[in-house]
Amino acid sequence: MTNVLLWAPLAFGLVGLFLPRRAAGPWAVLGAAVTLAVAVGMAVGFDGGDSGLQYTVDTPWIAGLGVDYSLGLDGLNLFLVLLTAVLWTGGVAFAAFREYERPKTFFFLMLMAETATLGSFLAQDLLLFVLFFDFMLVPFYFLFGAWGHDRSAEGGASASAATLKMIVYTLIGSLLMLVAAIATAIISADGGHVTFSIQALQQQGIGLGSQRWIFWFFAAAFLVKMPAFLLHGWMPAAYRAAPLPALAVFSGVLAKVGAYGFLRIVLPLFPEATVEFQEVVLVIALASILYGSVMAFTQTNLRLIAGYSSVAQLGFITAGIFALRADGADGAVLQMVNHGLVVAPIFIIIALLVERTGSEDIREMGGLALRAPVLAALFLIVALATLAMPGSANFVGEFYILNGLFQAKIVFALIAVSGVAMSAYYALRMYQGAMHNREAEGLLSREIGLRDALVLAPLVLCILALALYPQLILKRTDPTVEQTVAKVTGGSAPAARLAEARVLQFEDVFSGSRKP
């Protein structure tokens, strides 16, 4: 099942290269849907009370170097894999309803990117993780460069220049991570058998001196991918140039690979360095929250509003992880899924708005809600989830993150709270500017079509479902999250009992039967 999940998108993409041009889109949708069906089946059969790996595949690959083809699912990656399958199905389906040059190549690259992303989440061998992490860049390099919008005539960067900048940033981080992965395996072996197995490396351990510099090599790669403050320089130009269906999955999923890498690799392999540099990373996280929020409510381009809001949200996720408490890490995993389910619909809605207005600037929009109430209602749900309205799953994620941060570093938590207030401003400004401002002259205002609604509505329903039942994720992720955080803090409380207590406490607070 795990191999089918991983390689099905690439297999469908290869077959699609030999199909007629008109069949490329529907065939790619079928490939993404098959992958989603496999992911759902594995999620249904997942044992939420087990903190170990499930659906494992472990085969020697390069035996002489200790590299294995090792895959598996646990509480850390289960819902990130499911998120990947959901968003790729929506993104590919949305693109299939539109005309693209060289459609067979376009959809092949989209499905290749899905396989690379799934491999990053599933890999349980350190070198295999690095290879998939780097492989993700290849299809997006061509998608952004060949099918991106050229902004040079508008005074912005061309698609090729924006893509090159993105590649330079991410490749430098990836090369640092490759060096760090090799060093980790060699140093931990200490003259013995070299292995890249993440589980084996956790047991062997390395000294604090080596942990310090290796920690920052991995952190640089993950913070660039997210992107974090000061390492986000590639983001504005790349987001403005990228084709929107590809940008929806890129922003919804790929940024989470960096945050996931902290939980999967950095915390368990370098626990002493994690504690030593906890406050430094928290400062970076808070800077991302504040900077991303301020930039989001000063922009008028919808793409950049969504892009900078993602910088702020990834800052929250990083803060939850480096609170080094199970509550914060639980909230971080939940918020990774929440953010993906929110930001992908935003980019799909942006594409729909551009088709109606010919612009991505909210100053040139307005009045769309009068003749498109269904589109406006779907956009409103997404906007309210973005600002973490009480009752939404995003509220639950931020509740957990701030709870863990308050217990760990109260000053950092107080600063992070300001980001919650700022998110309300930029989310409502984005919605009101597009939907309820005075109607612009020559505006084409029409309701969302049935085909586009079939793509957008299921994503919105996922947002509502998690708002009603966030425990779907929390109960299944907590045992593994508790075990991961315990490797850093030395805690030993039973994970299942703590998970149940936290869920019951939140239910009481949320229903009003207990004060927070």
Side-chain angles (χ1 to χ4, degrees):
M1 289 286 286
T2 306
N3 276 323
V4 173
L5 173 69
L6 175 59
W7 298 110
L10 182 58
F12 272 87
L14 289 170
V15 173
L17 290 174
F18 300 96
L19 296 178
R21 177 189 178 96
R22 293 174 59 89
W27 179 255
V29 174
L30 177 62
V34 168
T35 306
L36 175 59
V38 175
V40 170
M42 295 174 72
V44 170
F46 185 83
D47 181 4
D50 184 0
S51 62
L53 289 171
Q54 302 174 41
Y55 300 106
T56 56
V57 175
D58 198 356
T59 304
W61 182 29
I62 311 176
L65 298 178
V67 181
D68 295 331
Y69 174 72
S70 180
L71 311 172
L73 278 176
D74 61 10
L76 292 182
N77 61 3
L78 172 66
F79 286 96
L80 294 173
V81 165
L82 194 57
L83 174 71
T84 303
V86 168
L87 296 192
W88 242 275
T89 303
V92 170
F94 185 80
F97 296 143
R98 281 148 181 85
E99 294 292 332
Y100 285 93
E101 296 181 359
R102 305 181 301 280
K104 293 191 289 186
T105 306
F106 177 86
F107 287 109
F108 166 70
L109 291 171
M110 286 286 285
L111 293 176
M112 178 197 292
E114 183 176 10
T115 285
T117 306
L118 288 170
S120 298
F121 287 130
L122 291 169
Q124 302 301 321
D125 180 277
L126 191 55
L127 192 59
L128 188 65
F129 173 86
V130 173
L131 292 176
F132 277 119
F133 190 91
D134 291 341
F135 184 39
M136 288 189 300
L137 295 176
V138 176
F140 283 105
Y141 171 78
F142 292 105
L143 286 168
F144 285 22
W147 285 271
H149 183 61
D150 192 341
R151 302 279 178 175
S152 56
E154 306 170 16
S158 66
S160 58
T163 305
L164 179 61
K165 189 174 184 179
M166 178 185 73
I167 293 298
V168 169
Y169 267 82
T170 51
L171 268 183
I172 291 174
S174 297
L175 290 173
L176 291 175
M177 183 169 62
L178 176 61
V179 172
I182 296 172
T184 300
I186 293 175
I187 294 172
S188 64
D190 195 22
H193 176 66
V194 175
T195 179
F196 285 89
S197 168
I198 295 175
Q199 287 188 319
L201 291 172
Q202 290 177 23
Q203 297 173 357
Q204 294 174 356
I206 60 177
L208 177 58
S210 298
Q211 283 190 35
R212 289 192 178 108
W213 68 269
I214 294 176
F215 172 95
W216 283 114
F217 275 32
F218 275 107
F222 297 149
L223 291 172
V224 167
K225 182 73 74 176
M226 294 173 78
F229 177 64
L230 294 181
L231 298 173
H232 71 288
W234 60 268
M235 185 275 292
Y239 271 50
R240 283 174 61 88
L244 283 165
L247 185 57
V249 295
F250 182 91
S251 183
V253 181
L254 264 72
K256 314 308 179 296
V257 178
Y260 167 77
F262 279 117
L263 285 170
R264 172 65 68 195
I265 296 172
V266 172
L267 266 66
L269 295 188
F270 317 114
E272 295 174 2
T274 298
V275 173
E276 182 172 333
F277 298 122
Q278 177 190 18
E279 293 187 355
V280 178
V281 179
L282 285 176
V283 168
I284 296 173
L286 293 182
S288 298
I289 294 171
L290 298 177
Y291 175 80
S293 298
V294 170
M295 291 299 295
F297 66 65
T298 59
Q299 299 296 319
T300 59
N301 183 286
L302 283 172
R303 291 185 188 228
L304 295 185
I305 294 173
Y308 282 113
S309 73
S310 295
V311 172
Q313 291 301 312
L314 269 294
F316 267 108
I317 291 168
T318 306
I321 294 170
F322 279 85
L324 303 184
R325 297 187 61 87
D327 279 359
D330 278 333
V333 175
L334 177 59
Q335 200 67 356
M336 286 186 228
V337 179
N338 289 336
H339 179 259
L341 290 174
V342 166
V343 77
I346 285 179
F347 283 113
I348 290 175
I349 291 170
I350 291 173
L352 296 174
L353 295 177
V354 171
E355 291 175 356
R356 286 156 174 77
T357 65
S359 174
E360 298 172 356
D361 196 314
I362 59 174
R363 295 172 297 182
E364 299 176 14
M365 299 180 182
L368 287 169
L370 295 175
R371 298 180 186 176
V374 174
L375 176 59
L378 294 172
F379 192 7
L380 179 61
I381 294 172
V382 175
L384 292 178
T386 300
L387 63 86
M389 174 69 71
S392 68
N394 294 62
F395 170 76
V396 181
E398 290 187 4
F399 180 93
Y400 269 71
I401 289 172
L402 291 174
N403 185 44
L405 201 55
F406 264 108
Q407 296 181 62
K409 304 284 183 180
I410 189 170
V411 174
F412 289 92
L414 291 172
I415 298 173
V417 169
S418 63
V420 179
M422 287 188 283
S423 68
Y425 179 80
Y426 64 70
L428 291 176
R429 172 176 171 266
M430 175 178 64
Y431 174 77
Q432 184 166 331
M435 292 286 120
H436 290 294
N437 280 352
R438 181 176 299 177
E439 185 172 350
E441 293 183 8
L443 180 67
L444 178 61
S445 180
R446 66 177 187 270
E447 186 59 274
I448 186 172
L450 178 61
R451 294 185 305 178
D452 292 331
L454 290 176
V455 174
L456 185 59
L459 297 176
V460 175
L461 288 175
C462 288
I463 295 172
L464 295 175
L466 275 183
L468 295 173
Y469 191 60
Q471 298 91 328
L472 175 70
I473 294 178
L474 294 170
K475 286 184 177 179
R476 289 163 178 79
T477 61
D478 192 82
T480 310
V481 166
E482 178 75 21
Q483 186 180 73
T484 300
V485 174
K487 289 182 173 67
V488 180
T489 62
S492 58
R497 179 164 50 81
L498 287 179
E500 183 178 0
R502 276 195 290 271
V503 169
L504 291 175
Q505 180 187 27
F506 178 78
E507 287 177 338
D508 289 344
V509 172
F510 197 66
S511 64
S513 60
R514 181 188 302 176
K515 293 183 179 180

